Amino acid sequence: MHWPWTPVEHLSGFQPPFCPRRGCPEHVRLAPGFRFERHGFYGTRRRWRIPRFRCRVCRASFSRQSFAVSYYSKRPELLVPIAAGLVGGSAHRQIARTLGCAPSTVTRNAARLGRHAILLLALTRRELAGQANEPFVFDHFETFEFTQDYPFGVGTLVGAKSWFVYDLDPAPHRRTGHVSSAQRRRLDLRPQRRRRGGYVGSSRRVFQRLRDVTSPGTTVTVIGDGHEAYERAARDPSLEREIVLESHPNPPRGPKGSSRSEAARLRDERLFPVDLLHKLVRHSLAHQRRETIAFGRRLNAVMEQMFLTAVWRNFVKKRSERNSRSGTPAMRLGLTRERWPWPRVFSRRLFPARTATPGTWAQLYRRLWTSPLYENNSTHKLKLAF
Ligand SMILES: [Zn+2]
C-alpha cells in the first residue's frame, strides 16, 4: 500500500496532485499531470511561507494546507497528541488539561480524526480487494449513546490470523436485561430511535461488504458466538459470497477459578482475536470503560473513536507489545512493511469524493445516524472542509 511517510506540512517542494475542490473535474484525477499555477504564499503565526496554487480548470485557488489533515486548523500541532490521548484512555477534558487547549478543541479534533480514520480504512479495503483469504471472527461490542436506554452493539469483523480490523458497523437495539418499574416508565417516555435493522441489519451489511475484500466465488468462514442474528444474516439471499458460520455459543461457566470445560476452551481460542480487540477497546478508550462518567453521548462520535481505534490497532499498535519483533496486523497482511507512527497516519488528507466508502461509513462520516434525544444533532456538512 502506497502511503507517504512525511506529513505534507513538512514538504518544501510540494506539488498538488489534483484539485482539492469537490466540484472540479480535476478533483478525482488519479494519474499525474494535474495542471496548476503557483499563486504566491501566505503565513500565520505558527507557519510561514505556505505555498498557494491555482487550478487551471476551475480557477479556484488553494494552498498546501488543503492537502493536510490539519486543514483550517489553528492548532495543527495538537492532532497527534489528541489521537494518542484518545486511544491512551483519556477523556476529552483530561486531554485538554494536559495539552493546554479548550475541551471543545479536543471534541472537534476527535471528529476530524475519526473521519480521517473512516477514509483510511476504506482506502485500505480497496487495497485489499479480493485478497483477504483468511477466516474472519465476528462479534458485537456492546455500548450505548448518552443513556443505557439507548444501547447499541458495534459489529466488529477481525481477521482470524492477522487480527486486522476489517469492518465496523453499529447496531442500535432495544434495552435488554432487567429493567425496574421506574426504569420502564422512563424508557417508555424516551423518543423512539431508528434501529436500522438492529443486529441482523448490522451483520448483513458487514457480510455484504465481505465481497469487497474477498475473491469472487470463494466460501468465506466467519467464526462467531452463535448469535441468532448472525445465522439469519448469513442466509440472506443478497450476499454474493457463501458464508459458512462456525458457531461457538458461550458455554455455561462454573464459579470463578474453576477450570474451563472443553467447549469453553475451544470458544475462547476461536474467538480470541475479537475478544482481544474488545478488551483493548474497554482498556484504551475512556468512553468504553465500565462504571465511567466519560460515556459517549452520540453514536456518531462513538463510531468515530472506534474507527480511530481500528486504524491504531491495524497500523500503529504491535500485535504483541512484549515481543519487539511482532509487527502490526497490517504488516501481517502485507499492506506495509513497517509500523506506522502517528504522524505517518496523518501525513495526507483524504477526500471522501476520491475514496470509495461503504454506505454506512459514508453516513457515519456525515454524522447522519442521529439520536432523537437531541434537538441539535450536529451533522458534518461543511463545503470546503468536508
Ligand atoms: Zn479545480
Side-chain angles (χ1 to χ4, degrees):
M1 174 177 179
H2 174 72
W3 188 253
W5 266 99
T6 317
V8 72
E9 293 97 321
H10 300 166
L11 293 179
S12 50
F14 173 76
Q15 297 200 338
F18 55 87
C19 178
R21 293 291 171 95
R22 257 195 291 173
C24 175
E26 286 293 296
H27 181 55
V28 288
R29 168 180 280 281
L30 296 172
F34 171 53
R35 289 164 66 241
F36 62 92
E37 45 204 57
R38 297 203 169 263
H39 193 60
F41 294 88
Y42 81 102
T44 65
R45 215 153 39 131
R46 280 164 206 280
R47 295 167 289 198
W48 55 96
R49 271 186 87 75
I50 298 165
R52 292 194 62 82
F53 308 93
R54 190 194 278 280
C55 171
R56 283 215 174 162
V57 173
C58 69
R59 304 303 294 164
S61 68
F62 51 89
S63 81
R64 189 181 64 198
Q65 269 305 107
S66 307
F67 295 87
V69 179
S70 64
Y71 58 91
Y72 289 132
S73 171
K74 292 192 175 69
R75 303 284 304 272
E77 77 281 7
L78 295 182
L79 214 54
V80 167
I82 288 177
L86 287 173
V87 297
S90 295
H92 292 191
R93 283 168 200 222
Q94 295 169 319
I95 298 176
R97 281 193 289 270
T98 311
L99 298 177
C101 65
S104 56
T105 305
V106 178
T107 305
R108 257 182 291 107
N109 268 291
R112 177 190 295 240
L113 295 167
R115 290 196 299 271
H116 178 74
I118 290 175
L119 295 185
L120 187 58
L121 212 56
L123 190 77
T124 313
R125 286 170 61 97
R126 204 171 53 182
E127 198 75 22
L128 283 170
Q131 290 176 41
N133 56 3
E134 57 180 331
F136 300 92
V137 195
F138 184 62
D139 199 10
H140 277 83
F141 177 85
E142 285 307 320
T143 183
F144 61 89
E145 54 176 331
F146 194 76
T147 152
Q148 300 202 25
D149 291 344
Y150 284 134
F152 65 100
V154 182
T156 42
L157 186 78
V158 184
K161 290 185 182 139
S162 65
W163 304 358
F164 191 86
V165 185
Y166 286 92
D167 209 333
L168 298 171
D169 195 291
H173 58 80
R174 72 163 60 86
R175 182 168 177 162
T176 54
H178 177 74
V179 178
S180 72
S181 55
Q183 285 171 330
R184 168 59 56 198
R185 280 195 298 279
R186 193 185 60 196
L187 198 55
D188 291 339
L189 290 176
R190 298 262 190 218
Q192 282 287 318
R193 191 173 47 149
R194 273 186 74 186
R195 299 250 169 77
R196 300 172 197 261
Y199 287 113
V200 180
S202 157
S203 314
R204 192 193 308 120
R205 290 189 293 269
V206 168
F207 293 167
Q208 279 167 347
R209 291 198 289 263
L210 275 170
R211 68 169 175 256
D212 303 337
V213 290
T214 54
S215 55
T218 49
T219 303
V220 180
T221 304
V222 176
I223 304 164
D225 62 4
H227 197 299
E228 176 235 355
Y230 305 165
E231 310 275 352
R232 279 174 60 191
R235 286 197 304 267
D236 197 276
S238 69
L239 300 182
E240 289 169 30
R241 300 279 185 283
E242 193 191 332
I243 292 184
V244 175
L245 277 183
E246 183 188 317
S247 294
H248 299 276
N250 289 320
R253 304 201 181 222
K256 214 173 171 94
S258 59
S259 61
R260 288 181 295 171
S261 66
E262 188 57 29
R265 202 192 52 72
L266 185 66
R267 183 237 165 255
D268 290 351
E269 185 185 301
R270 298 299 282 166
L271 271 85
F272 177 76
V274 82
D275 285 345
L276 173 67
L277 176 75
H278 291 178
K279 271 187 207 164
L280 280 172
V281 172
R282 291 249 182 259
H283 178 66
S284 306
L285 298 190
H287 277 170
Q288 309 303 349
R289 294 248 169 81
R290 301 288 190 191
E291 298 291 326
T292 178
I293 59 166
F295 54 89
R297 266 55 164 192
R298 284 166 167 77
L299 180 144
N300 293 302
V302 172
M303 289 308 296
E304 282 157 5
Q305 270 208 23
M306 292 293 282
F307 275 100
L308 183 69
T309 310
V311 164
W312 169 68
R313 179 65 183 125
N314 289 343
F315 291 96
V316 182
K317 189 186 176 333
K318 286 189 292 191
R319 279 164 54 96
S320 158
E321 306 223 348
R322 260 180 299 182
N323 180 352
S324 62
R325 272 174 308 187
S326 88
T328 60
M331 288 163 67
R332 191 59 78 93
L333 281 183
L335 279 166
T336 170
R337 262 181 290 178
E338 312 87 358
R339 197 174 78 79
W340 291 10
W342 276 119
R344 184 172 183 192
V345 175
F346 306 121
S347 66
R348 288 295 179 282
R349 173 181 173 188
L350 287 165
F351 295 81
R354 291 174 52 84
T355 312
T357 313
T360 311
W361 296 13
Q363 290 166 4
L364 294 171
Y365 187 94
R366 294 162 64 196
R367 293 195 147 197
L368 295 183
W369 286 44
T370 52
S371 165
L373 267 186
Y374 305 105
E375 277 179 28
N376 167 26
N377 268 285
S378 61
T379 53
H380 179 63
K381 52 187 175 194
L382 298 173
K383 281 203 171 67
L384 296 181
F386 183 61

